[in-house]
Each structure stands twice: as C-alpha cells, then as structure tokens.
Amino acid sequence: MHPTLSRWVESSLDAPVTAVEPLLVEASNRRFYRMRLNAPQPGPESLVVMDSPPELERNDAFLAVQRLLADRGLPVPSILAMDTENGFFLLGDLGDRHLEDVYGTPLQDKAIALAIDGLMDLQRIDAPGIPPYLESRFRDELGIFVEWFLGALLDERLPQTAADAFETLVENALGQPQCLIHRDYHCRNLLLTPEGGLGIVDFQDALIGPATYDLACLLWDCYHDFDDGERRRWQRYYQRSSRFRFDDNALSRALDLTGLQRQLKAIGIFARLKLRDGKPGHMRYIAPVLESATRISSAYAGMEELGEWLVSIGPRALGTLD
C-alpha cells in the first residue's frame, strides 16, 4: 500500500489497524486491502480499502450503482469514507468466503439459491439512470475474442460460419426481456457473509440488458463447470419466481446462448490479459471455457458449425497454454 493511501486510511479510521491483507484482484486496475482493526465493540473488526485510480477506473459508475443497490436493500458493501480525487474508498467488509470456496461442499445449494434470489431482486429494480447494453457493445465484446484470442494468440481468421453464429448470439441477447444486470455475476464476485447471507461486489459495470445474463454468469461460470442436471435444476428455480415468463425451451436456449456469448468474450479477455497486460494467470481457464463453449454450440440448430470450428482450433489453442 503506497504512503498516500496509508495516511488517508489512518486519518479515516477511529481505531488502530492491527493487520493489512492484500486481496485477490481479477482483471482491473483496482487494488483491495482488508484492514483488521482493534476496534471497540460494537464497531467493525475489519474493513476493506479500495484503491481505484480515477484515471483508469469508472469510479462515478461505482458510486452510482452502489447507491442504487444499497438504497434498494441489496447486499453490497457500504461506503464509509472516500477520497474521489485519489480514488480511495473505505468499504464495509462482507467477508472472505466467495461462492467459489463453497462449491462442492454442503453449502453449495444454499449459496446458489441465495445468488439466484439476489439476481431476481436486482431484476426488480427500476433503474432509469443505468445505460442500456447496446448492440454495438455485444459486437465489440465478441470482437475481443476475434482480435485477441483468434488473431493475436492463434493467428487465425474468423470463418463465415462462425460470423453467422455470432449474429445469432447478438439476436438472442437483444430479443430477451431487458432489466438491470450486474454483468459479472459469478462465483468470485459473490460471497457468503459471516451472517450466512449473500454479498455482491464488482457491480460498477451494471447495465440494462438481457434477463438471462446474470443467470448465465452464474450457471455458465468460467471458473466452475456445473453438470447439465445441476444447471437445469437451478434454471427451474429461477423460472418459478422470475418476473419474466419463459417456457422451458425458450429459457434454456436464451440462457445457453447468453452463456456462450459470455464465454467467447471471456476467452478473448483472458488472451488480452496475457498479451497486452502481461497477466497470464487466466490462461489456464481458456481450455475448460473453450470446451464448454463447444458443448453449447453443438446443442443448438444453426450453431453446430461454430461448434465444429471450435473443435478444430482446440489443439492449436491448447498448444498456446503450455
């Protein structure tokens, strides 16, 4: 932690800091630290400090979305102090147990149920100030796959059959009911709090977008592969209480194709992190996400040729991960 941030933290706290723990950062320029406090009860025992450079991060969006979600009772970190000029934020601590940490344990079902309940609460929020997920953005995100994974990493071109399938993915996104979405609603941005509730972080990129988007983030997670039976069980859980009316087949198709769009974007981002940003840590996820994208493509009429093409580039892709 650099000295300016340290001095700001010391001036903002009413209790001495007993320990500082850097927290895992995914792909942003932000840095997070957990502060353990020697605080009198009933004060908090720990807080989180976010160092978010204003020239690199959308801190205005973070503040706007935090206020919107907090005002509607969603479980996001409270903002206890901030220095917007330097991008320093002192946040409430939702704990250190991510959903990823409880997958494969007896707590998994509880965690997923909480997450789906949370995204349905999110979808009920009227958010006129949040911008829409534009068609151009969907195309640009698929372009990340083309530019960074296919072109920069593999030196390949996108065949016309894949380009046609990309059009189907865009149409699928735009044709769904639209609502407030988190846009990165997966196991590393969702927590089980010490009290046993849900915590939601990394919400600053929220938009008005496809109703299945956050469900696809959760059930077609790039960091955890659910089996199809689990995925359909949780899809039905969502369907029973959602404000949107989908029949089974329509929901399956919308969910899976939204998941495919996200996975292709993620593969491109993982390649970009390595090639542009010098951050190779996500490269190990490309192989399982590519395999998952292939399974989705092969399951739907009009997408089979995309699946066959993904299979054909698989060996070359795997060769870049050694």
Side-chain angles (χ1 to χ4, degrees):
M1 185 186 303
H2 59 73
T4 303
L5 179 57
S6 296
R7 288 193 296 270
W8 178 79
V9 169
E10 290 171 359
S11 68
S12 300
L13 293 175
D14 293 327
V17 175
T18 59
V20 178
E21 174 191 358
L23 302 181
L24 175 69
V25 176
E26 282 295 311
S28 78
N29 297 290
R30 296 177 296 165
R31 294 291 178 267
F32 295 86
Y33 306 89
R34 174 169 286 112
M35 302 286 183
R36 306 288 181 185
L37 307 180
N38 184 12
Q41 295 301 318
E45 295 181 356
S46 65
L47 298 170
V48 171
V49 177
M50 180 172 75
D51 178 5
S52 182
E55 68 278 9
L56 299 174
E57 295 291 336
R58 298 175 60 242
N59 292 339
D60 55 340
F62 170 80
L63 287 170
V65 178
Q66 190 278 340
R67 288 167 182 153
L68 174 67
L69 300 186
D71 286 349
R72 302 307 193 278
L74 269 78
V76 296
S78 56
I79 299 177
L80 306 174
M82 58 182 164
D83 174 351
T84 54
E85 182 177 353
N86 289 301
F88 301 157
F89 298 86
L90 191 61
L91 307 175
D93 190 357
L94 298 179
D96 58 4
R97 187 164 55 166
H98 293 83
L99 261 61
E100 181 179 35
D101 300 324
V102 303
Y103 284 172
T105 78
L107 287 174
Q108 175 174 303
D109 280 2
K110 175 185 177 180
I112 298 172
L114 285 170
I116 295 177
D117 292 344
L119 77 84
M120 288 192 287
D121 289 340
L122 188 73
Q123 292 185 345
R124 296 186 187 102
I125 295 175
D126 183 27
I130 300 296
Y133 208 150
L134 297 174
E135 177 179 347
S136 58
R137 185 186 289 261
F138 283 110
R139 296 188 185 281
D140 289 346
E141 289 175 351
L142 289 168
I144 297 172
F145 172 87
V146 175
E147 178 181 359
W148 290 98
F149 176 70
L150 200 57
L153 192 67
L154 299 187
D155 194 24
E156 289 271 357
R157 295 174 62 101
L158 186 74
Q160 187 59 48
T161 53
D164 292 342
F166 282 14
E167 290 300 312
T168 300
L169 296 181
V170 174
E171 292 167 6
N172 170 69
L174 299 177
Q176 295 179 43
Q178 305 289 296
C179 62
L180 181 63
I181 60 173
H182 178 289
R183 285 189 66 224
D184 218 9
Y185 200 81
H186 60 68
C187 66
R188 294 185 175 179
N189 288 332
L190 301 170
L191 301 104
L192 278 181
T193 68
E195 298 77 25
L198 179 70
I200 303 172
V201 298
D202 207 16
F203 42 74
Q204 66 281 343
D205 292 326
L207 292 173
I208 303 299
T212 67
Y213 198 92
D214 286 343
L215 189 63
C217 296
L218 183 69
L219 299 182
W220 286 107
D221 195 327
C222 292
Y223 307 114
H224 182 84
D225 187 22
F226 295 101
D227 67 47
D228 197 55
E230 290 179 298
R231 194 174 294 111
R232 297 311 172 205
R233 177 162 64 91
W234 290 112
Q235 174 184 314
R236 290 191 294 272
Y237 180 88
Y238 168 82
Q239 190 174 13
R240 286 194 294 270
S241 301
S242 172
R243 56 177 284 214
F244 301 111
R245 302 272 70 88
F246 287 95
D247 66 39
D248 290 345
N249 290 336
L251 180 54
S252 294
R253 183 179 188 276
L255 173 66
D256 293 353
L257 295 188
T258 302
L260 175 58
Q261 183 265 333
R262 268 192 52 82
Q263 290 184 335
L264 293 173
K265 177 182 75 169
I267 291 169
I269 289 173
F270 297 161
R272 186 175 69 185
L273 283 169
K274 175 185 178 180
L275 298 173
R276 187 191 71 183
D277 303 332
K279 300 177 179 179
H282 285 72
M283 292 295 287
R284 67 185 184 274
Y285 299 112
I286 286 181
V289 175
L290 187 63
E291 196 277 331
S292 180
T294 301
R295 291 203 320 268
I296 300 174
S297 304
S298 302
Y300 288 97
M303 307 294 289
E304 303 97 332
E305 291 186 353
L306 173 62
E308 293 171 1
W309 174 70
L310 291 174
V311 168
S312 74
I313 65 172
R316 289 203 56 219
L318 294 178
T320 68
L321 308 181
D322 296 335

